[in-house]
Amino acid sequence: MDNYIVGRNAVKEALKAGRSIQRILVSDDKIKTGLSDIVGLAKSKGVEVRPTPVKQMNRYETDVPHQGVIAFVNAVEFKDLGEVLQESNHENPLLILTDGVEDPHNMGAIIRTAECVGATAVLIPKRHNAPINATVAKTSAGAVEQIPLVQVGNVTQTIKQLQKQGFWVLGAHMEGDRTLYEADLTIPTVLVIGNEGKGISRVVKEACDFLVTIPMYGKLNSLNASVAAAILMYEAVRQRTIKAK
């Protein structure tokens, strides 16, 4: 499963051909000089360009020199959200929206849990999220092939569009205004899971209908992102199972 391509010509041709690229790493000493044409082309197509130290880029195993540029490509086919919702048999859809989840193991675990609970789809922003690569696919235990994955642009705009369609948007945050047990998760719901360290971004928090927190009883005050996501998803399942009875 290809998850990245390297080299100036290969990346440039991939951009020209319109291949779905999640982000491009460019050597920080060449971003304004030798690779400016690739940077310009990527930005014109809305692809994130991330200046990166050469030492970090050298960690990626490859049979050919990366020449200062590495492009992460999609390892799976993304679905259209409108079509997913239309084809879904869920009376009250459950969508999982990631906001800055950058660890591929966390992303894979979130996708795996979402599939296990029967969530409608996982929504993944184009920018500032882990690329859906071989690591994600492996961690998800094959769930990337079983549950619809939807790539979205602006997270805030996506939230507003879903709210207009009748969804309630809940952001997971340790300073939430209610616990997950006090939130109604039986209605059409979007669960927003934030970055491993920073949590949900400020603009996304403001766009959510409300923030929910998971009670903490130990000395630590936060959970791993994928663990928090799993707890929230299974609380939704619990509430929906009780309501169905």
Side-chain angles (χ1 to χ4, degrees):
M1 182 182 294
D2 258 342
N3 64 325
Y4 55 82
I5 53 178
V6 303
R8 299 181 186 184
N9 289 333
V11 173
K12 187 183 292 184
E13 291 305 313
L15 283 165
K16 289 180 178 178
R19 185 168 181 182
S20 184
I21 297 176
Q22 293 214 353
R23 69 168 173 260
I24 296 177
L25 305 186
V26 175
S27 173
D28 52 13
D29 62 340
K30 297 179 181 178
I31 193 166
K32 293 183 179 179
T33 54
L35 297 171
S36 58
D37 55 341
I38 289 178
V39 172
L41 183 59
K43 289 184 176 179
S44 72
K45 293 181 175 291
V47 177
E48 177 188 1
V49 175
R50 184 175 296 184
T52 307
V54 175
K55 286 185 178 180
Q56 184 175 333
M57 297 182 70
N58 290 340
R59 297 174 186 169
Y60 294 95
E61 296 180 358
T62 175
D63 296 329
V64 296
H66 58 67
Q67 298 179 312
V69 59
I70 300 173
F72 289 87
V73 297
N74 294 330
V76 296
E77 178 186 356
F78 286 105
K79 306 295 184 182
D80 177 78
L81 180 57
E83 293 179 2
V84 169
L85 292 175
Q86 191 173 9
E87 295 171 2
S88 172
N89 294 321
H90 296 86
E91 183 179 341
N92 294 308
L94 176 64
L95 302 176
I96 314 304
L97 172 59
T98 62
D99 177 39
V101 176
E102 296 186 329
D103 186 322
H105 295 92
N106 273 335
M107 183 65 76
I110 289 170
I111 293 171
R112 181 175 183 174
T113 304
E115 199 284 328
C116 288
V117 303
T120 310
V122 179
L123 280 52
I124 305 167
K126 293 180 181 179
R127 295 171 176 266
H128 308 302
N129 274 262
I132 307 304
N133 57 21
T135 301
V136 172
K138 183 177 180 180
T139 309
S140 78
V144 293
E145 305 295 341
Q146 303 299 326
I147 184 172
L149 303 181
V150 177
Q151 191 170 60
V152 300
N154 184 284
V155 177
T156 304
Q157 290 179 2
T158 299
I159 287 174
K160 291 180 179 177
Q161 291 170 0
L162 289 168
Q163 287 168 330
K164 290 179 181 178
Q165 296 178 43
F167 282 87
W168 281 88
V169 181
L170 289 67
H173 195 271
M174 61 183 180
E175 296 177 358
D177 51 20
R178 67 194 71 184
T179 70
L180 74 164
Y181 308 121
E182 297 169 316
D184 183 358
L185 303 177
T186 65
I187 55 181
T189 302
V190 180
L191 292 177
V192 185
I193 309 300
N195 177 271
E196 291 85 355
K198 302 175 183 176
I200 300 172
S201 62
R202 180 185 57 81
V203 290
V204 172
K205 279 195 293 186
E206 293 174 352
C208 291
D209 290 301
F210 50 88
L211 303 176
V212 295
T213 183
I214 299 171
M216 307 294 292
Y217 302 104
K219 295 180 179 179
L220 300 180
N221 65 354
S222 64
L223 291 165
N224 171 277
S226 61
V227 172
I231 292 171
L232 286 163
M233 284 188 257
Y234 269 98
E235 173 61 15
V237 169
R238 186 189 70 83
Q239 291 187 18
R240 291 169 182 226
T241 301
I242 292 173
K243 187 174 182 178
K245 293 180 179 179

